[in-house]
Amino acid sequence: MPGHVTHTLIYPPSARHNEAGHLEIGGCDVVALAAEHGTPLFIYDEAALRSQCRAYLEAFAAHAERFVVVYASKAFACRAMCELVHEEGLSLDVASGGELAAARAAGFPPADIYFHGNNKSVEEIEAAFDYGIGHFVVDSFDEIPRLEAAAAARGRRQPVLLRVTPGVRPTTHSFVQTGQVDSKFGFGLAEGQATEAVRRLQASDRLELVGVHAHIGSQIFELDSYESEIATLFTAVAGWRHTLGFECRLFNIGGGLGIRYTLDDQPSSIAEFAAVAVGAVRSQAERHGLEMPTVLVEPGRSIAGKAAVTAYTVGTVKVIPGVRTYVAVDGGMSDNLRPMLYDSRYEAMLANKAETPATDLVTVAGKHCESGDILVRDVRIAPPQPGDILVTPGTGAYGYVLANNYNGQPRPAVVMAAGGRSRVVIARETWGDVLRLQRSLAD
Ligand code: PLP
């Protein structure tokens, strides 16, 4: 039935079945997009990206007088995405010189950029200073003199936030927990390192400490983890106010809101997240007799994740009678590492058989030389054949940005689809691109 899509909760909002019985996204037939741009192909629903940005702005505006939504570009960083989030009125978090370069190429206003990272190189710090970015998020003692030197060389006083590890452990995969005491990120509260860092920054004539930041992890469903984070941070901030005279103007709660990859996932909504987070900041500020700070939030996955699907071409179908059917596609761990890194679960469907009942239990395998190169285990799809276009939804965050050239595989193209039109925002690599930086022993 045209217009109907099996999993509306998982596919981008514009996903529908068209008259040809194909999956359509952003008004574009996915089978036609695969033919035009080749596969694997990341297809973003541009309107979905924009509506997630707006949902964040509306949700935080409903609860906070002063707030900033900072898109965490690590989730999906490229020039077009930086342009899009700026058009939608968001600020930007970059965590490397490469992400900064994309922001620069997009003409992103430097004042709205926050620079993260537990090991920012001097080169990256210099590049960020030269672009005039608004804030650094200080992550280590070793970083402080590097920032001071760059600020002094330019006769500048640079606003910074302090990244604190609050000792909160949300329920999510341990590889994406970041706020616990034993973490490579930030300054611990329990051991007094954060207090020492505040003292050090307060004494700096080149750096101006204007706020705190914490990020407790990613793909978080339970909002009470944020309440614990905010309460812990506020106790620290109140202590620093009394003992060191520190005024916390910017209070950055980090990102981490989870999304639905499968029908079993039950994430909280952006509206619920904003209500809980801002409510916790307000009640903690009142409890400690502090002024309400500007609330900053740093979403990545919940903006980009659900907006994209990856389209692959099925190459082989291997039936092992009584055991399993492997459907091998023309990508795999080179374009989606999450199943291998985090045991992440995805759904799948055949875009060219959108109307055919999903009767066959299969395992979707990549083309790489690893048995662990499995994209989706045990999923029901329409009867598969070589040449079918298989789609995995929910690949918009931490998908393309983790893509790699394993087995010499060129990285896929990325298109944004809207109103029946698709635009290439990252071109497909060729074998020539993969070879471009290689040199012969004879050179
Ligand atoms: N902020 C920081 C400092 C992060 O490290 C991350 C992700 O790792 C994010 C924000 C974005 O998290 P998410 O994509 O889960 O919203």
Side-chain angles (χ1 to χ4, degrees):
M1 183 218 322
H4 165 78
V5 154
T6 328
H7 303 307
T8 40
L9 294 171
I10 294 167
Y11 284 82
S14 69
R16 64 185 286 275
H17 298 175
N18 65 16
E19 289 62 28
H22 295 173
L23 178 66
E24 186 180 285
I25 289 175
C28 297
D29 184 313
V30 168
V31 180
L33 287 179
E36 184 182 349
H37 302 286
T39 54
L41 179 68
F42 283 88
I43 304 166
Y44 279 84
D45 175 342
E46 186 182 327
L49 289 171
R50 293 184 186 279
S51 74
Q52 290 304 94
C53 295
R54 288 172 201 170
Y56 262 99
L57 292 175
E58 278 163 28
F60 278 78
H63 300 282
E65 293 77 45
R66 282 173 290 125
F67 67 94
V68 185
V69 180
V70 185
Y71 169 61
S73 71
K74 69 205 73 179
F76 174 50
C78 68
R79 198 170 158 170
M81 186 63 182
C82 292
E83 289 165 357
L84 183 149
V85 297
H86 173 54
E87 281 169 17
E88 294 302 328
L90 271 54
S91 293
L92 197 71
D93 144 9
V94 299
S96 72
E99 288 174 2
L100 178 67
R104 261 186 106 133
F108 208 95
D112 296 337
I113 298 179
Y114 295 76
F115 201 117
H116 272 284
N118 69 311
N119 184 16
K120 306 171 184 77
S121 70
V122 170
E123 193 187 4
E124 289 173 324
I125 290 171
E126 298 273 333
F129 264 97
D130 287 341
Y131 195 45
I133 68 147
H135 295 84
F136 284 85
V137 184
V138 178
D139 209 289
S140 73
F141 286 112
D142 289 326
E143 179 184 338
I144 296 173
R146 293 176 196 153
L147 293 175
E148 286 177 322
R154 291 160 182 83
R156 234 188 272 162
R157 193 163 147 78
Q158 174 66 41
V160 299
L161 281 79
L162 183 77
R163 179 159 183 174
V164 174
T165 37
V168 173
R169 207 181 262 278
T171 332
T172 185
H173 195 289
S174 63
F175 287 6
V176 286
Q177 289 173 341
T178 51
Q180 72 277 19
V181 173
D182 184 0
S183 166
K184 72 169 186 166
F185 297 109
F187 297 90
L189 281 176
E191 330 81 71
Q193 292 197 316
T195 303
E196 188 45 40
V198 173
R199 199 173 279 125
R200 172 74 178 80
L201 290 170
Q202 294 269 89
S204 174
D205 56 359
R206 286 293 164 199
L207 304 178
E208 184 191 4
L209 180 61
V210 295
V212 293
H213 167 278
H215 171 77
I216 52 175
S218 204
Q219 186 60 356
I220 296 170
F221 287 1
E222 288 148 19
L223 298 178
D224 54 356
S225 304
Y226 289 101
E227 291 178 305
S228 311
E229 172 204 354
I230 291 164
T232 308
L233 269 186
F234 252 99
T235 304
V237 164
W240 298 331
R241 173 84 182 85
H242 296 305
T243 55
L244 303 172
F246 166 54
E247 297 259 6
C248 181
R249 301 204 295 274
L250 304 186
F251 192 91
N252 189 330
I253 62 170
L257 183 65
I259 64 164
R260 191 179 260 118
Y261 285 101
T262 71
L263 289 173
D264 295 334
D265 291 336
Q266 299 290 337
S268 301
S269 69
I270 294 171
E272 289 163 336
F273 176 38
V276 167
V278 179
V281 174
R282 180 165 286 110
S283 72
Q284 289 296 326
E286 281 166 9
R287 177 163 171 251
H288 291 282
L290 297 176
E291 209 175 296
M292 180 75 180
T294 300
V295 180
L296 279 75
V297 61
E298 249 168 25
R301 186 191 310 273
S302 50
I303 288 194
K306 218 188 106 175
V309 304
T310 309
Y312 302 94
T313 302
V314 173
T316 60
V317 179
K318 173 181 176 178
V319 182
I320 310 175
V323 178
R324 188 178 294 282
T325 296
Y326 284 100
V327 175
V329 296
D330 52 356
M333 62 195 296
S334 53
D335 59 76
N336 189 0
L337 267 183
R338 293 190 65 258
M340 302 83 202
L341 281 179
Y342 313 127
D343 260 342
S344 305
R345 168 97 203 146
Y346 287 85
E347 300 288 352
M349 70 175 284
L350 296 180
N352 55 316
K353 296 176 179 169
E355 300 286 297
T356 311
T359 49
D360 289 26
L361 186 66
V362 305
T363 285
V364 181
K367 63 172 287 175
H368 297 288
C369 303
E370 293 282 337
S371 301
D373 180 30
I374 300 294
L375 286 169
V376 194
R377 211 171 278 281
D378 297 332
V379 63
R380 281 196 188 276
I381 60 173
Q385 286 163 306
D388 284 338
I389 301 299
L390 184 139
V391 157
T392 51
T395 55
Y398 307 105
Y400 183 84
V401 288
L402 290 171
N404 58 77
N405 296 123
Y406 181 42
N407 291 143
Q409 170 92 341
R411 283 179 297 175
V414 181
V415 297
M416 285 192 189
R421 194 175 146 234
S422 71
R423 284 188 286 187
V424 176
V425 296
I426 305 180
R428 179 178 305 286
E429 283 179 348
T430 62
W431 290 332
D433 290 325
V434 176
L435 266 177
R436 192 166 47 89
L437 302 176
Q438 300 183 19
R439 301 288 177 272
S440 161
L441 283 177
D443 286 347

